[in-house]
Amino acid sequence: MDDMLRAAKRFPQFSASIKGVHLVERSPELRKLQHDKLDCSWEQTSLVEDKHDSSTPKRSVSRSRGQLEVSWYDVLEEISVDSNCVPLVIAHEFFDALPIYKFEKGSDNLWHEILVDVADSDNEPAGAGGAPKFASSPQLSVADTSACHFKFVRTRNVSANAALLLRDKRFDAQFDKGDRVEVSPESARIMAQLAEWISTHQGMGLIVDYGQDWTQGDTFRGIKSHKFANPLSLPGSMDLTADVDFSYLRFAARGLAACHGPVEQGTFLHAMGIQARLQQLLQSTQDKKVQKSLVDCYKRLTDPHSMGRVYKVMAVLPESATGIPIPFTPPTKEELNKPKVEKITK
């Protein structure tokens, strides 16, 4: 957010139109970091009423941004959209943290839910490569597999969740026996709410996350100390995440807003001029270490083998909007024949 607000200053009229920043963040520690990063004044900060933590910010103002109001919320529903304002929604690595349901198509050709149960032993092996032990779970490079407190189990009969969430015919037509799917109804609910906001108030949204434009079945994982970890071990000690199904988000927004994309992050950034910006930054310094760091960051963001392909970008506009945003315009034949990555000169 600090980067976006700083970049917005290059467009004075747009920057002056920003009336407030609303952050959905439950973590007290991250709220404090955001508070300091946005140069908020503690003297003008109202705190969350919590007897266990009396220092979590709830509302403040940014001193270096003309007293811009900054507010924090636990859930999206707490945000009140001003009818006189246009919402600009940025969901960066937001949907991947929302809960999912897992299902497997059994030999009876019916969907069975995969649930979490208490493991028979705290020292029960997690499975090959540290992955949660259930059928053919993918192998992971893990940070800690010393304790496995839970395990996956599959329901014998069709659960109510399976009957409700997998009613769409595509789940029967596109998947075979033994296939698994991950579905996030919470993502669909929030996406529908965002889409309604954007259309009602003529706003816009940008979703940036890792995932695919189709439904997957085995992406649920834990991340601890920047390494994959067994998500069923040591609960509360790691981040839990699953790839975003952009097709599911687009389906949730149908009839409410117009979705464009997703496109790969590398494609998006190149269309938005990241190479020209990199050239400007390289020419602004003679420090070889700084130049190398800039090029390394550029490669990390755009390289297909790094973040350039796995991260996707989707735009959300009012249903009445006409035209296609530039990064999402289908390429011409000439553009298809051009190399995606040009040589960067220092």
Side-chain angles (χ1 to χ4, degrees):
M1 180 56 67
D2 179 56
D3 290 337
M4 287 188 287
L5 291 174
R6 184 172 61 254
K9 288 184 177 180
R10 298 175 64 88
F11 307 91
Q13 188 174 357
F14 169 68
S15 181
S17 71
I18 300 175
K19 302 303 180 184
V21 174
H22 304 271
L23 301 169
V24 179
E25 178 58 69
R26 289 186 174 183
S27 168
E29 293 305 317
L30 290 180
R31 283 194 185 191
K32 295 170 190 175
L33 288 175
Q34 293 163 353
H35 180 279
D36 295 340
K37 186 68 174 177
L38 294 175
D39 192 31
C40 291
S41 168
W42 281 108
E43 291 76 15
Q44 296 175 273
T45 297
S46 59
L47 304 175
V48 172
E49 296 180 3
D50 187 342
K51 63 180 180 181
H52 301 294
D53 187 351
S54 59
S55 61
T56 301
K58 181 178 181 180
R59 188 168 290 105
S60 188
V61 294
S62 176
R63 290 171 294 195
S64 58
R65 295 179 176 85
Q67 298 296 99
L68 179 68
E69 185 174 306
V70 182
S71 304
W72 286 266
Y73 307 88
D74 286 330
V75 294
L76 198 67
E77 286 75 13
E78 294 177 351
I79 302 177
S80 177
V81 181
D82 191 333
S83 60
N84 296 320
C85 290
V86 175
L88 173 56
V89 180
I90 305 294
H92 182 249
E93 290 192 42
F94 176 80
F95 285 99
D96 68 90
L98 297 180
I100 62 167
Y101 289 83
K102 288 175 68 74
F103 304 95
E104 181 177 298
K105 204 168 192 180
S107 57
D108 55 4
N109 213 35
L110 298 175
W111 287 105
H112 298 261
E113 187 171 359
I114 298 174
L115 303 174
V116 175
D117 195 5
V118 178
D120 299 329
S121 168
D122 283 348
N123 297 318
E124 181 177 303
K133 187 177 182 181
F134 187 88
S136 56
S137 297
Q139 296 188 7
L140 300 174
S141 172
V142 300
D144 188 341
T145 58
S146 60
C148 184
H149 299 161
F150 298 95
K151 63 180 180 181
F152 283 136
V153 295
R154 194 182 72 179
T155 59
R156 296 177 180 175
N157 301 313
V158 178
S159 67
N161 288 328
L164 177 65
L165 299 176
L166 305 181
R167 291 180 298 174
D168 193 282
K169 293 181 179 179
R170 68 189 178 98
F171 289 109
D172 286 328
Q174 298 179 8
F175 296 94
D176 299 321
K177 297 175 182 178
D179 286 345
R180 297 188 201 148
V181 296
E182 294 169 336
V183 180
S184 176
E186 181 71 357
S187 294
R189 183 187 67 79
I190 291 177
M191 183 64 184
Q193 182 175 350
L194 292 177
E196 186 175 7
W197 276 5
I198 289 169
S199 282
T200 301
H201 301 282
Q202 294 298 297
M204 63 210 77
L206 204 63
I207 300 171
V208 184
D209 226 316
Y210 47 85
Q212 301 292 350
D213 199 23
W214 59 81
T215 302
Q216 301 182 85
D218 279 309
T219 72
F220 176 61
R221 55 199 179 273
I223 299 177
K224 184 178 181 181
S225 301
H226 305 290
K227 295 181 180 180
F228 288 126
N230 178 10
L232 302 184
S233 175
L234 304 175
S237 67
M238 67 189 72
D239 293 329
L240 301 179
T241 181
D243 280 12
V244 174
D245 180 356
F246 283 91
S247 68
Y248 194 63
L249 298 183
R250 191 168 53 247
F251 184 76
R254 71 195 189 284
L256 297 172
C259 295
H260 299 276
V263 298
E264 295 177 359
Q265 178 174 279
T267 300
F268 175 85
L269 292 175
H270 280 114
M272 295 299 292
I274 190 174
Q275 289 180 325
R277 180 58 177 158
L278 176 60
Q279 293 285 7
Q280 290 177 345
L281 294 174
L282 289 174
Q283 293 170 9
S284 68
T285 178
Q286 298 301 317
D287 190 317
K288 298 299 181 183
K289 290 184 178 180
V290 174
Q291 289 180 337
K292 183 180 184 303
S293 177
L294 288 168
V295 173
D296 288 344
C297 289
Y298 161 79
K299 290 180 178 179
R300 182 169 179 265
L301 290 170
T302 61
D303 193 315
H305 300 292
S306 187
M307 298 172 64
R309 179 173 293 165
V310 67
Y311 276 79
K312 308 292 191 301
V313 182
M314 174 186 281
V316 186
L317 296 177
E319 192 175 23
S320 59
T322 58
I324 301 175
I326 292 175
F328 304 92
T329 310
T332 63
K333 289 184 179 180
E334 292 75 15
E335 290 172 331
L336 288 172
N337 291 328
K338 289 182 180 179
K340 289 186 177 180
V341 180
E342 298 176 4
K343 183 178 180 181
I344 298 298
T345 57
K346 295 183 181 180

